[in-house]
Amino acid sequence: MFCKKSLEMQHARRATVNGVEVADKLEWFRRVDRPAAQVFDGLVTAVEFQDGFGLHTLNAKAIGEFETQTERVPCAVLHCFLEGSTQAWLSGQPMELGRTGILPVKMVLTSTEEPLSFVRRSVPGEYVRKVSVQLSKSWLDSNGLKLPNTGYLMNGVLQRLEWTAGLQDIGLLEKLAGSRGFGRPFERLKTEAAALELVASAFEHLADQGFEAALTQREMAQLLRIEELAREPGPMPDLAAFAQVGGVSLSTLRRLIRKARGCAPLAHLRRLRLEVAHDALCDGRITVAQAADMAGFSSPENFATAFRRAFALSPSEVRKS
């Protein structure tokens, strides 16, 4: 896992080992974790630009099976999948990272407070185009960046935030995903600058959305229960039911979701329900009428209108694609 440096650090070295670009101060892939030869067809890079700040990209198709079991040390990681998805688990919990079909490109920020076991698997034919930026707590502190203490709580130690990437962010991600190495100084500087700009954009977005106001552990547990109810198929509960599940008042429910997600409660909860229906349609498991029922719409027409507003495509178009 790229969050953990090898004890066998190799300095002032540049080479390509089994498709992994090796540059100065690299060894986020331990020797035992590096993809073996003929595992990926494409580009895999991992480089540390500064102490505690680095980049890992994957733009490749798996042509063989690959599994790594290692440890993710306390840090923050900014993930983005332009195409494909990854089978990965932290402390036995699926990370649920990836992009399917025509879903919007998402930025996902995860942070850990203690070491967690990490498992990653690839299967033949799996294609992934992704960018991950690692941020140590000391690097964040030295640059005056405050890590939000909010979002999904996993096993009491993993925080997760996600939002839709903007057009400027997507341009930076495309540039980083296409970077072919760091052999020449100006290439390295340009890639580092793009990664820094992406991080700055992410933290600017979080600040604009009020994410710097941290949730308490209790608030995060309440939010998780509320969002779990929102993902259950069937008629949409009213806000009073969500407040009851979260163990909060209606006014606290509104404040909690606005503070954590930066939008009105009903809009956020409805979006979660639509995403569940979208994923089911992408898999072809259900009909459009069944998806409307799953999302809690009594009218397929109203469901189609809300769905198109959320995803810019109709339910039938998503199901066909």
PDB file of all heavy atoms in Angstrom, residues 65-95:
ATOM      1  N   GLU A  65      -3.743 -12.195 -12.033  1.00  0.00           N
ATOM      2  CA  GLU A  65      -4.245 -11.969 -10.692  1.00  0.00           C
ATOM      3  C   GLU A  65      -3.169 -11.299  -9.836  1.00  0.00           C
ATOM      4  O   GLU A  65      -1.987 -11.563  -9.991  1.00  0.00           O
ATOM      5  CB  GLU A  65      -4.672 -13.286 -10.049  1.00  0.00           C
ATOM      6  CG  GLU A  65      -5.889 -13.919 -10.720  1.00  0.00           C
ATOM      7  CD  GLU A  65      -6.359 -15.160  -9.987  1.00  0.00           C
ATOM      8  OE1 GLU A  65      -5.685 -15.554  -9.013  1.00  0.00           O
ATOM      9  OE2 GLU A  65      -7.384 -15.728 -10.391  1.00  0.00           O
ATOM     10  N   PHE A  66      -3.635 -10.395  -8.953  1.00  0.00           N
ATOM     11  CA  PHE A  66      -2.710  -9.687  -8.076  1.00  0.00           C
ATOM     12  C   PHE A  66      -3.404  -9.433  -6.749  1.00  0.00           C
ATOM     13  O   PHE A  66      -4.565  -9.025  -6.713  1.00  0.00           O
ATOM     14  CB  PHE A  66      -2.287  -8.358  -8.711  1.00  0.00           C
ATOM     15  CG  PHE A  66      -1.515  -7.454  -7.780  1.00  0.00           C
ATOM     16  CD1 PHE A  66      -0.258  -7.823  -7.337  1.00  0.00           C
ATOM     17  CD2 PHE A  66      -2.053  -6.250  -7.353  1.00  0.00           C
ATOM     18  CE1 PHE A  66       0.462  -7.001  -6.483  1.00  0.00           C
ATOM     19  CE2 PHE A  66      -1.343  -5.421  -6.498  1.00  0.00           C
ATOM     20  CZ  PHE A  66      -0.073  -5.795  -6.066  1.00  0.00           C
ATOM     21  N   GLU A  67      -2.712  -9.695  -5.659  1.00  0.00           N
ATOM     22  CA  GLU A  67      -3.248  -9.405  -4.329  1.00  0.00           C
ATOM     23  C   GLU A  67      -2.128  -8.911  -3.437  1.00  0.00           C
ATOM     24  O   GLU A  67      -1.011  -9.445  -3.466  1.00  0.00           O
ATOM     25  CB  GLU A  67      -3.894 -10.635  -3.704  1.00  0.00           C
ATOM     26  CG  GLU A  67      -4.399 -10.368  -2.275  1.00  0.00           C
ATOM     27  CD  GLU A  67      -5.182 -11.516  -1.689  1.00  0.00           C
ATOM     28  OE1 GLU A  67      -5.961 -12.142  -2.445  1.00  0.00           O
ATOM     29  OE2 GLU A  67      -5.032 -11.779  -0.474  1.00  0.00           O
ATOM     30  N   THR A  68      -2.417  -7.859  -2.686  1.00  0.00           N
ATOM     31  CA  THR A  68      -1.467  -7.365  -1.702  1.00  0.00           C
ATOM     32  C   THR A  68      -2.167  -7.259  -0.359  1.00  0.00           C
ATOM     33  O   THR A  68      -3.333  -6.855  -0.287  1.00  0.00           O
ATOM     34  CB  THR A  68      -0.887  -5.999  -2.105  1.00  0.00           C
ATOM     35  OG1 THR A  68       0.038  -5.562  -1.108  1.00  0.00           O
ATOM     36  CG2 THR A  68      -1.960  -4.953  -2.262  1.00  0.00           C
ATOM     37  N   GLN A  69      -1.484  -7.637   0.693  1.00  0.00           N
ATOM     38  CA  GLN A  69      -1.979  -7.508   2.053  1.00  0.00           C
ATOM     39  C   GLN A  69      -0.913  -6.778   2.848  1.00  0.00           C
ATOM     40  O   GLN A  69       0.195  -7.277   3.007  1.00  0.00           O
ATOM     41  CB  GLN A  69      -2.257  -8.882   2.668  1.00  0.00           C
ATOM     42  CG  GLN A  69      -3.329  -9.670   1.940  1.00  0.00           C
ATOM     43  CD  GLN A  69      -3.675 -10.968   2.646  1.00  0.00           C
ATOM     44  OE1 GLN A  69      -3.538 -11.093   3.855  1.00  0.00           O
ATOM     45  NE2 GLN A  69      -4.139 -11.942   1.882  1.00  0.00           N
ATOM     46  N   THR A  70      -1.247  -5.592   3.309  1.00  0.00           N
ATOM     47  CA  THR A  70      -0.270  -4.761   3.985  1.00  0.00           C
ATOM     48  C   THR A  70      -0.980  -3.905   5.029  1.00  0.00           C
ATOM     49  O   THR A  70      -2.058  -4.254   5.500  1.00  0.00           O
ATOM     50  CB  THR A  70       0.503  -3.903   2.960  1.00  0.00           C
ATOM     51  OG1 THR A  70       1.518  -3.154   3.630  1.00  0.00           O
ATOM     52  CG2 THR A  70      -0.408  -2.960   2.196  1.00  0.00           C
ATOM     53  N   GLU A  71      -0.398  -2.782   5.362  1.00  0.00           N
ATOM     54  CA  GLU A  71      -0.944  -1.916   6.405  1.00  0.00           C
ATOM     55  C   GLU A  71      -0.953  -0.474   5.933  1.00  0.00           C
ATOM     56  O   GLU A  71       0.012  -0.004   5.338  1.00  0.00           O
ATOM     57  CB  GLU A  71      -0.089  -2.042   7.671  1.00  0.00           C
ATOM     58  CG  GLU A  71      -0.562  -1.199   8.834  1.00  0.00           C
ATOM     59  CD  GLU A  71       0.368  -1.354  10.029  1.00  0.00           C
ATOM     60  OE1 GLU A  71       1.371  -0.611  10.108  1.00  0.00           O
ATOM     61  OE2 GLU A  71       0.093  -2.227  10.879  1.00  0.00           O
ATOM     62  N   ARG A  72      -2.052   0.185   6.160  1.00  0.00           N
ATOM     63  CA  ARG A  72      -2.120   1.621   5.883  1.00  0.00           C
ATOM     64  C   ARG A  72      -1.875   2.361   7.187  1.00  0.00           C
ATOM     65  O   ARG A  72      -2.586   2.175   8.161  1.00  0.00           O
ATOM     66  CB  ARG A  72      -3.485   1.999   5.307  1.00  0.00           C
ATOM     67  CG  ARG A  72      -3.694   3.511   5.226  1.00  0.00           C
ATOM     68  CD  ARG A  72      -4.903   3.887   4.417  1.00  0.00           C
ATOM     69  NE  ARG A  72      -5.326   5.245   4.706  1.00  0.00           N
ATOM     70  CZ  ARG A  72      -6.283   5.880   4.064  1.00  0.00           C
ATOM     71  NH1 ARG A  72      -6.928   5.280   3.088  1.00  0.00           N
ATOM     72  NH2 ARG A  72      -6.621   7.109   4.388  1.00  0.00           N
ATOM     73  N   VAL A  73      -0.849   3.176   7.186  1.00  0.00           N
ATOM     74  CA  VAL A  73      -0.501   3.934   8.383  1.00  0.00           C
ATOM     75  C   VAL A  73      -1.417   5.148   8.485  1.00  0.00           C
ATOM     76  O   VAL A  73      -2.078   5.531   7.503  1.00  0.00           O
ATOM     77  CB  VAL A  73       0.969   4.382   8.335  1.00  0.00           C
ATOM     78  CG1 VAL A  73       1.888   3.187   8.255  1.00  0.00           C
ATOM     79  CG2 VAL A  73       1.213   5.321   7.156  1.00  0.00           C
ATOM     80  N   PRO A  74      -1.511   5.794   9.660  1.00  0.00           N
ATOM     81  CA  PRO A  74      -2.352   6.994   9.795  1.00  0.00           C
ATOM     82  C   PRO A  74      -1.957   8.064   8.783  1.00  0.00           C
ATOM     83  O   PRO A  74      -0.813   8.492   8.725  1.00  0.00           O
ATOM     84  CB  PRO A  74      -2.079   7.447  11.234  1.00  0.00           C
ATOM     85  CG  PRO A  74      -1.704   6.193  11.955  1.00  0.00           C
ATOM     86  CD  PRO A  74      -0.932   5.384  10.959  1.00  0.00           C
ATOM     87  N   CYS A  75      -2.899   8.464   7.951  1.00  0.00           N
ATOM     88  CA  CYS A  75      -2.660   9.469   6.933  1.00  0.00           C
ATOM     89  C   CYS A  75      -3.998   9.816   6.293  1.00  0.00           C
ATOM     90  O   CYS A  75      -5.029   9.254   6.646  1.00  0.00           O
ATOM     91  CB  CYS A  75      -1.684   8.964   5.861  1.00  0.00           C
ATOM     92  SG  CYS A  75      -2.334   7.590   4.886  1.00  0.00           S
ATOM     93  N   ALA A  76      -3.970  10.736   5.359  1.00  0.00           N
ATOM     94  CA  ALA A  76      -5.141  11.042   4.542  1.00  0.00           C
ATOM     95  C   ALA A  76      -4.805  10.722   3.095  1.00  0.00           C
ATOM     96  O   ALA A  76      -3.667  10.877   2.669  1.00  0.00           O
ATOM     97  CB  ALA A  76      -5.532  12.510   4.677  1.00  0.00           C
ATOM     98  N   VAL A  77      -5.805  10.263   2.345  1.00  0.00           N
ATOM     99  CA  VAL A  77      -5.615   9.958   0.929  1.00  0.00           C
ATOM    100  C   VAL A  77      -6.772  10.566   0.139  1.00  0.00           C
ATOM    101  O   VAL A  77      -7.938  10.391   0.507  1.00  0.00           O
ATOM    102  CB  VAL A  77      -5.545   8.442   0.665  1.00  0.00           C
ATOM    103  CG1 VAL A  77      -5.325   8.177  -0.826  1.00  0.00           C
ATOM    104  CG2 VAL A  77      -4.429   7.798   1.473  1.00  0.00           C
ATOM    105  N   LEU A  78      -6.434  11.286  -0.911  1.00  0.00           N
ATOM    106  CA  LEU A  78      -7.423  11.822  -1.832  1.00  0.00           C
ATOM    107  C   LEU A  78      -7.495  10.866  -3.019  1.00  0.00           C
ATOM    108  O   LEU A  78      -6.525  10.707  -3.761  1.00  0.00           O
ATOM    109  CB  LEU A  78      -7.006  13.222  -2.293  1.00  0.00           C
ATOM    110  CG  LEU A  78      -8.001  13.993  -3.155  1.00  0.00           C
ATOM    111  CD1 LEU A  78      -9.298  14.258  -2.404  1.00  0.00           C
ATOM    112  CD2 LEU A  78      -7.383  15.317  -3.614  1.00  0.00           C
ATOM    113  N   HIS A  79      -8.640  10.169  -3.160  1.00  0.00           N
ATOM    114  CA  HIS A  79      -8.810   9.167  -4.218  1.00  0.00           C
ATOM    115  C   HIS A  79      -9.704   9.727  -5.325  1.00  0.00           C
ATOM    116  O   HIS A  79     -10.665  10.444  -5.050  1.00  0.00           O
ATOM    117  CB  HIS A  79      -9.521   7.911  -3.700  1.00  0.00           C
ATOM    118  CG  HIS A  79      -9.034   7.387  -2.390  1.00  0.00           C
ATOM    119  ND1 HIS A  79      -8.152   6.334  -2.293  1.00  0.00           N
ATOM    120  CD2 HIS A  79      -9.335   7.744  -1.117  1.00  0.00           C
ATOM    121  CE1 HIS A  79      -7.928   6.067  -1.013  1.00  0.00           C
ATOM    122  NE2 HIS A  79      -8.631   6.903  -0.283  1.00  0.00           N
ATOM    123  N   CYS A  80      -9.431   9.331  -6.552  1.00  0.00           N
ATOM    124  CA  CYS A  80     -10.361   9.619  -7.640  1.00  0.00           C
ATOM    125  C   CYS A  80     -10.233   8.560  -8.717  1.00  0.00           C
ATOM    126  O   CYS A  80      -9.130   8.271  -9.198  1.00  0.00           O
ATOM    127  CB  CYS A  80     -10.109  10.989  -8.248  1.00  0.00           C
ATOM    128  SG  CYS A  80     -11.338  11.345  -9.521  1.00  0.00           S
ATOM    129  N   PHE A  81     -11.368   7.979  -9.105  1.00  0.00           N
ATOM    130  CA  PHE A  81     -11.411   6.987 -10.175  1.00  0.00           C
ATOM    131  C   PHE A  81     -12.065   7.631 -11.394  1.00  0.00           C
ATOM    132  O   PHE A  81     -13.224   8.040 -11.347  1.00  0.00           O
ATOM    133  CB  PHE A  81     -12.209   5.759  -9.739  1.00  0.00           C
ATOM    134  CG  PHE A  81     -11.433   4.809  -8.869  1.00  0.00           C
ATOM    135  CD1 PHE A  81     -11.085   5.173  -7.582  1.00  0.00           C
ATOM    136  CD2 PHE A  81     -11.028   3.576  -9.344  1.00  0.00           C
ATOM    137  CE1 PHE A  81     -10.355   4.319  -6.773  1.00  0.00           C
ATOM    138  CE2 PHE A  81     -10.297   2.707  -8.550  1.00  0.00           C
ATOM    139  CZ  PHE A  81      -9.961   3.079  -7.264  1.00  0.00           C
ATOM    140  N   LEU A  82     -11.307   7.719 -12.468  1.00  0.00           N
ATOM    141  CA  LEU A  82     -11.859   8.206 -13.723  1.00  0.00           C
ATOM    142  C   LEU A  82     -12.597   7.085 -14.454  1.00  0.00           C
ATOM    143  O   LEU A  82     -13.605   7.336 -15.116  1.00  0.00           O
ATOM    144  CB  LEU A  82     -10.740   8.765 -14.594  1.00  0.00           C
ATOM    145  CG  LEU A  82     -10.081  10.043 -14.051  1.00  0.00           C
ATOM    146  CD1 LEU A  82      -8.748  10.282 -14.724  1.00  0.00           C
ATOM    147  CD2 LEU A  82     -10.996  11.235 -14.210  1.00  0.00           C
ATOM    148  N   GLU A  83     -12.083   5.862 -14.330  1.00  0.00           N
ATOM    149  CA  GLU A  83     -12.732   4.691 -14.927  1.00  0.00           C
ATOM    150  C   GLU A  83     -12.417   3.467 -14.071  1.00  0.00           C
ATOM    151  O   GLU A  83     -11.325   3.349 -13.519  1.00  0.00           O
ATOM    152  CB  GLU A  83     -12.226   4.434 -16.344  1.00  0.00           C
ATOM    153  CG  GLU A  83     -12.551   5.505 -17.359  1.00  0.00           C
ATOM    154  CD  GLU A  83     -12.027   5.151 -18.735  1.00  0.00           C
ATOM    155  OE1 GLU A  83     -12.589   4.234 -19.368  1.00  0.00           O
ATOM    156  OE2 GLU A  83     -11.043   5.771 -19.160  1.00  0.00           O
ATOM    157  N   GLY A  84     -13.383   2.564 -13.987  1.00  0.00           N
ATOM    158  CA  GLY A  84     -13.153   1.302 -13.316  1.00  0.00           C
ATOM    159  C   GLY A  84     -13.292   1.385 -11.812  1.00  0.00           C
ATOM    160  O   GLY A  84     -13.611   2.435 -11.243  1.00  0.00           O
ATOM    161  N   SER A  85     -13.070   0.268 -11.164  1.00  0.00           N
ATOM    162  CA  SER A  85     -13.192   0.188  -9.721  1.00  0.00           C
ATOM    163  C   SER A  85     -12.160  -0.773  -9.165  1.00  0.00           C
ATOM    164  O   SER A  85     -11.568  -1.567  -9.898  1.00  0.00           O
ATOM    165  CB  SER A  85     -14.604  -0.257  -9.315  1.00  0.00           C
ATOM    166  OG  SER A  85     -14.896  -1.529  -9.854  1.00  0.00           O
ATOM    167  N   THR A  86     -11.949  -0.690  -7.874  1.00  0.00           N
ATOM    168  CA  THR A  86     -10.936  -1.469  -7.193  1.00  0.00           C
ATOM    169  C   THR A  86     -11.576  -2.334  -6.112  1.00  0.00           C
ATOM    170  O   THR A  86     -12.464  -1.869  -5.391  1.00  0.00           O
ATOM    171  CB  THR A  86      -9.901  -0.530  -6.532  1.00  0.00           C
ATOM    172  OG1 THR A  86      -9.137   0.112  -7.548  1.00  0.00           O
ATOM    173  CG2 THR A  86      -8.950  -1.295  -5.644  1.00  0.00           C
ATOM    174  N   GLN A  87     -11.127  -3.567  -6.010  1.00  0.00           N
ATOM    175  CA  GLN A  87     -11.515  -4.408  -4.886  1.00  0.00           C
ATOM    176  C   GLN A  87     -10.506  -4.170  -3.765  1.00  0.00           C
ATOM    177  O   GLN A  87      -9.362  -4.605  -3.851  1.00  0.00           O
ATOM    178  CB  GLN A  87     -11.502  -5.884  -5.279  1.00  0.00           C
ATOM    179  CG  GLN A  87     -12.496  -6.244  -6.381  1.00  0.00           C
ATOM    180  CD  GLN A  87     -12.439  -7.728  -6.701  1.00  0.00           C
ATOM    181  OE1 GLN A  87     -12.576  -8.565  -5.817  1.00  0.00           O
ATOM    182  NE2 GLN A  87     -12.250  -8.047  -7.960  1.00  0.00           N
ATOM    183  N   ALA A  88     -10.924  -3.443  -2.759  1.00  0.00           N
ATOM    184  CA  ALA A  88     -10.009  -3.093  -1.674  1.00  0.00           C
ATOM    185  C   ALA A  88     -10.776  -3.055  -0.361  1.00  0.00           C
ATOM    186  O   ALA A  88     -11.957  -2.683  -0.321  1.00  0.00           O
ATOM    187  CB  ALA A  88      -9.349  -1.740  -1.949  1.00  0.00           C
ATOM    188  N   TRP A  89     -10.078  -3.449   0.696  1.00  0.00           N
ATOM    189  CA  TRP A  89     -10.679  -3.484   2.032  1.00  0.00           C
ATOM    190  C   TRP A  89      -9.724  -2.866   3.034  1.00  0.00           C
ATOM    191  O   TRP A  89      -8.508  -3.079   2.987  1.00  0.00           O
ATOM    192  CB  TRP A  89     -10.967  -4.926   2.452  1.00  0.00           C
ATOM    193  CG  TRP A  89     -11.955  -5.642   1.614  1.00  0.00           C
ATOM    194  CD1 TRP A  89     -13.281  -5.811   1.875  1.00  0.00           C
ATOM    195  CD2 TRP A  89     -11.723  -6.309   0.372  1.00  0.00           C
ATOM    196  NE1 TRP A  89     -13.883  -6.523   0.866  1.00  0.00           N
ATOM    197  CE2 TRP A  89     -12.946  -6.846  -0.069  1.00  0.00           C
ATOM    198  CE3 TRP A  89     -10.578  -6.504  -0.414  1.00  0.00           C
ATOM    199  CZ2 TRP A  89     -13.061  -7.572  -1.245  1.00  0.00           C
ATOM    200  CZ3 TRP A  89     -10.684  -7.205  -1.594  1.00  0.00           C
ATOM    201  CH2 TRP A  89     -11.916  -7.736  -2.003  1.00  0.00           C
ATOM    202  N   LEU A  90     -10.269  -2.077   3.951  1.00  0.00           N
ATOM    203  CA  LEU A  90      -9.525  -1.565   5.083  1.00  0.00           C
ATOM    204  C   LEU A  90     -10.134  -2.149   6.352  1.00  0.00           C
ATOM    205  O   LEU A  90     -11.342  -2.026   6.585  1.00  0.00           O
ATOM    206  CB  LEU A  90      -9.596  -0.038   5.153  1.00  0.00           C
ATOM    207  CG  LEU A  90      -8.503   0.736   4.415  1.00  0.00           C
ATOM    208  CD1 LEU A  90      -8.786   2.230   4.498  1.00  0.00           C
ATOM    209  CD2 LEU A  90      -7.123   0.431   4.977  1.00  0.00           C
ATOM    210  N   SER A  91      -9.313  -2.801   7.133  1.00  0.00           N
ATOM    211  CA  SER A  91      -9.774  -3.426   8.372  1.00  0.00           C
ATOM    212  C   SER A  91     -10.980  -4.331   8.116  1.00  0.00           C
ATOM    213  O   SER A  91     -11.922  -4.365   8.902  1.00  0.00           O
ATOM    214  CB  SER A  91     -10.122  -2.352   9.408  1.00  0.00           C
ATOM    215  OG  SER A  91     -10.296  -2.912  10.680  1.00  0.00           O
ATOM    216  N   GLY A  92     -10.962  -5.022   6.954  1.00  0.00           N
ATOM    217  CA  GLY A  92     -12.021  -5.950   6.609  1.00  0.00           C
ATOM    218  C   GLY A  92     -13.263  -5.322   6.022  1.00  0.00           C
ATOM    219  O   GLY A  92     -14.197  -6.025   5.632  1.00  0.00           O
ATOM    220  N   GLN A  93     -13.312  -3.979   5.913  1.00  0.00           N
ATOM    221  CA  GLN A  93     -14.474  -3.284   5.377  1.00  0.00           C
ATOM    222  C   GLN A  93     -14.199  -2.838   3.943  1.00  0.00           C
ATOM    223  O   GLN A  93     -13.134  -2.286   3.660  1.00  0.00           O
ATOM    224  CB  GLN A  93     -14.811  -2.049   6.231  1.00  0.00           C
ATOM    225  CG  GLN A  93     -15.194  -2.360   7.654  1.00  0.00           C
ATOM    226  CD  GLN A  93     -16.550  -3.018   7.740  1.00  0.00           C
ATOM    227  OE1 GLN A  93     -17.433  -2.745   6.929  1.00  0.00           O
ATOM    228  NE2 GLN A  93     -16.734  -3.883   8.717  1.00  0.00           N
ATOM    229  N   PRO A  94     -15.145  -3.070   2.990  1.00  0.00           N
ATOM    230  CA  PRO A  94     -14.923  -2.633   1.602  1.00  0.00           C
ATOM    231  C   PRO A  94     -14.814  -1.118   1.515  1.00  0.00           C
ATOM    232  O   PRO A  94     -15.575  -0.389   2.147  1.00  0.00           O
ATOM    233  CB  PRO A  94     -16.165  -3.145   0.868  1.00  0.00           C
ATOM    234  CG  PRO A  94     -17.202  -3.343   1.924  1.00  0.00           C
ATOM    235  CD  PRO A  94     -16.466  -3.711   3.172  1.00  0.00           C
ATOM    236  N   MET A  95     -13.849  -0.642   0.731  1.00  0.00           N
ATOM    237  CA  MET A  95     -13.651   0.794   0.591  1.00  0.00           C
ATOM    238  C   MET A  95     -14.634   1.427  -0.393  1.00  0.00           C
ATOM    239  O   MET A  95     -14.839   2.640  -0.381  1.00  0.00           O
ATOM    240  CB  MET A  95     -12.215   1.083   0.153  1.00  0.00           C
ATOM    241  CG  MET A  95     -11.170   0.707   1.186  1.00  0.00           C
ATOM    242  SD  MET A  95      -9.522   1.297   0.772  1.00  0.00           S
ATOM    243  CE  MET A  95      -9.718   3.076   1.006  1.00  0.00           C
TER     244      MET A  95
END
